[in-house]
Every structure is written in C-alpha cells, then in structure tokens.
Amino acid sequence: MNFLTFEDNYLAGQSPERKIIMTNKEKALALIGTFASGDTAKAKELLAPGYIQHNLAFGTGADAFVAAVEGLAQAPVKTTVNNIRAFEDGDKVFLQTVYNFAGAGEQVGFDVFRFDADGKIAEHWDNLADKAAPNPSGHTQIDGTLEKKDVDKEETRKVVAGFVGDVLRGENPDKLTSYYDGDKYIQHNTAIADGLSGLGAALEAMAKQGISMVYNKTHMVLADGDYGLACSEGTFGGVPTTYYDVFRVENGFIAEHWDVMETLADKDTWQNQNGKF
C-alpha cells in the first residue's frame, strides 16, 4: 500500500489503494475548517473521545465540539476561517487564525492542539480577541513575514522563554535591552509602535494612566523554527487576563511580535471546569 501525505493525495486524487497520511498540522487545520464546512463526520474522525476543551465558552468532550459545529452550520450567516500561520512542536500544533463565527465579527485567535499517541486531537487551548485597526506603526494583528526559517527550535524556545521570564514576568528587568537588536523590532500589538522605543513609550503611557500589565505564570512555551509561542496568565489593569505571545527570533534577538490578550471569564460562566490552562 502506498502512503501519501494529504497534499500528495489532493494533487493525485484519491484511490482505494492509497491511504491518506495527514500530518498533525493538517489535522488541526482540517478540524478548524469544520467550523466553516459543518462537516461533523470529519470532526468526529479527528477528535479523541475524551477531548479536553479549555475554551471556557464551550463544553468539554468530542460530542460538545461536534454540537458546536452543528450549531454553526445551522446559523443564517456562514462561519469563515482564515488560517494565517501554522506551526508544530512535538505533540502540539499551534495556529494563528482569523475567525468570523456566524457573522459575529472577525476575531484573531491563537489555538493550541495536543495530539494523543493514536494521532487524535486530545486537548485544546486558545485565546481570542476582536480584530482591530492597524497599530501606530501601521501593522495589523496578522501581517508580517510568513516565512519560517529552518533553525534550531530549541534556541528559539530558549530566547522566548528567557524574554518572557526576565522581562514580561519581571524576574530580571535589567536584561530588557539584551533581547533586542537595538531598536529593530516589529510590533503587531494593536496599541504599541515598532521598536524598543515604541514599547517603552506604551509602557510609560500605561503607567501614567495607572494601568499595569502583569505576567504571573507561563504555562507553556512552544517553538517551531524561528517562531515561539508563550502562553501566560496574569492581570491587565487589575483584571485577570491570559496572554498568548508569538515571537519571531532573528540572530538570537526578539525581532517581531504578535499577541492576543483575553480577559479571563468569571468562573460562574464557564461551560467546562478544565480551566483556561
């Protein structure tokens, strides 16, 4: 029997003698695609029976996910899914995607999917934020380079984990400038301009307004090539907040940054008890 990748099969056409071997990244993209297609059979095929959901607006389990796909398929306005970037690190895939669920408005999201030993999607974490206007430097939440360089992901993970700990969690703030190549830094946060100077100006403005951005704990740091994702929790302006930050690392420096901040929902509204992380 010949074993083909999803792309091979797509190009060649399916035949009974050939078995499709999808990568985990292709499976994750296929799963989020069911929000638009309404293909509940595909969702059931991809999910592990004990699927663990950390999006607190949905119930846990494969059946709850399939029910959500069914609900979107019946909505009068079709859901759209536009994946921007996709990465893979061990048993996890992380995605940056623009969703518009049933015409509710565009949202930018980061998703993390964990796969079990059978290749099924077993767990999911995410952060979502409304799509906003370009930031003071004219960058959007999703634009920028799409190229992924084939570099040692462990070096990328080391830089990202170090920056998040030293700077964002405030463990060694004096190391801030060591993570940047001068003022060369592309920023996609909706409120901050490019450069270390832009970050400093934004933090100063927030301080004058009495707003503090606090990172208390980082739950995972994933890496693929020159990109790293850090998933953290803390507070913003005193309100419990979860932070998903993607950094592109170039020559050992933080070169580009995309993020999604989400206010942590009140526990009495949670549709599952798995927690955000």
Side-chain angles (χ1 to χ4, degrees):
M1 179 181 291
N2 294 327
F3 290 90
L4 302 176
T5 66
F6 181 77
E7 184 178 18
D8 288 336
N9 192 78
Y10 176 79
L11 293 172
Q14 295 186 25
S15 73
E17 295 76 23
R18 290 176 165 176
K19 181 178 179 181
I20 301 172
I21 302 297
M22 296 173 70
T23 67
N24 286 349
K25 193 186 300 183
E26 289 166 344
K27 291 176 184 176
L29 292 171
L31 185 67
I32 65 172
T34 64
F35 291 137
S37 68
D39 189 344
T40 54
K42 174 59 70 177
K44 290 177 183 176
E45 173 190 327
L46 293 166
L47 293 168
Y51 174 73
I52 301 168
Q53 176 65 269
H54 293 275
N55 183 314
L56 301 175
F58 293 92
T60 196
D63 290 344
F65 188 99
V66 171
V69 171
E70 288 176 337
L72 290 172
Q74 295 168 7
V77 179
K78 183 177 174 61
T79 289
T80 60
V81 176
N82 178 24
N83 176 256
I84 308 300
R85 295 175 176 84
F87 305 97
E88 190 165 350
D89 181 10
D91 64 351
K92 295 185 179 69
V93 168
F94 53 108
L95 309 175
Q96 183 190 35
T97 304
V98 178
Y99 295 101
N100 191 337
F101 293 104
E106 287 189 306
Q107 291 182 299
V108 179
F110 287 116
D111 295 279
V112 178
F113 294 99
R114 180 179 64 81
F115 289 75
D116 66 15
D118 296 322
K120 299 291 186 181
I121 298 174
E123 196 162 8
H124 170 247
W125 303 259
D126 68 349
N127 244 23
L128 288 162
D130 291 343
K131 195 173 180 183
N135 69 16
S137 292
H139 301 301
T140 72
Q141 293 152 289
I142 58 173
D143 68 0
T145 182
L146 297 174
E147 178 190 7
K148 184 188 72 175
K149 293 184 177 177
D150 186 19
V151 299
D152 185 353
K153 69 179 181 182
E154 296 307 327
E155 290 299 318
T156 299
R157 195 191 319 272
K158 182 179 178 182
V159 172
V160 171
F163 176 78
V164 172
D166 290 337
V167 178
L168 297 183
R169 293 202 306 273
E171 295 166 1
N172 294 288
D174 56 318
K175 291 186 176 180
L176 170 65
T177 56
S178 71
Y179 286 99
Y180 293 96
D181 184 8
D183 205 34
K184 183 183 174 185
Y185 173 51
I186 302 171
Q187 177 63 264
H188 295 273
N189 181 286
T190 58
I192 304 177
D194 282 350
L196 185 54
S197 56
L199 177 61
L203 293 175
E204 182 179 352
M206 286 196 296
K208 287 181 179 177
Q209 298 175 56
I211 299 172
S212 59
M213 183 170 63
V214 177
Y215 283 61
N216 290 324
K217 184 176 182 179
T218 299
H219 292 268
M220 63 178 104
V221 178
L222 305 177
D224 185 2
D226 53 343
Y227 290 83
L229 166 68
C231 304
S232 309
E233 66 177 302
T235 59
F236 184 78
V239 178
T241 299
T242 53
Y243 301 96
Y244 278 45
D245 295 278
V246 167
F247 300 94
R248 182 174 62 80
V249 175
E250 183 175 306
N251 299 322
F253 296 106
I254 298 289
E256 194 162 8
H257 171 242
W258 300 260
D259 70 334
V260 168
M261 296 167 48
E262 182 179 314
T263 300
L264 185 62
D266 292 335
K267 195 167 184 178
D268 58 4
T269 69
W270 293 7
Q271 298 302 303
N272 66 68
Q273 298 305 311
N274 297 325
K276 187 69 175 174
F277 292 101

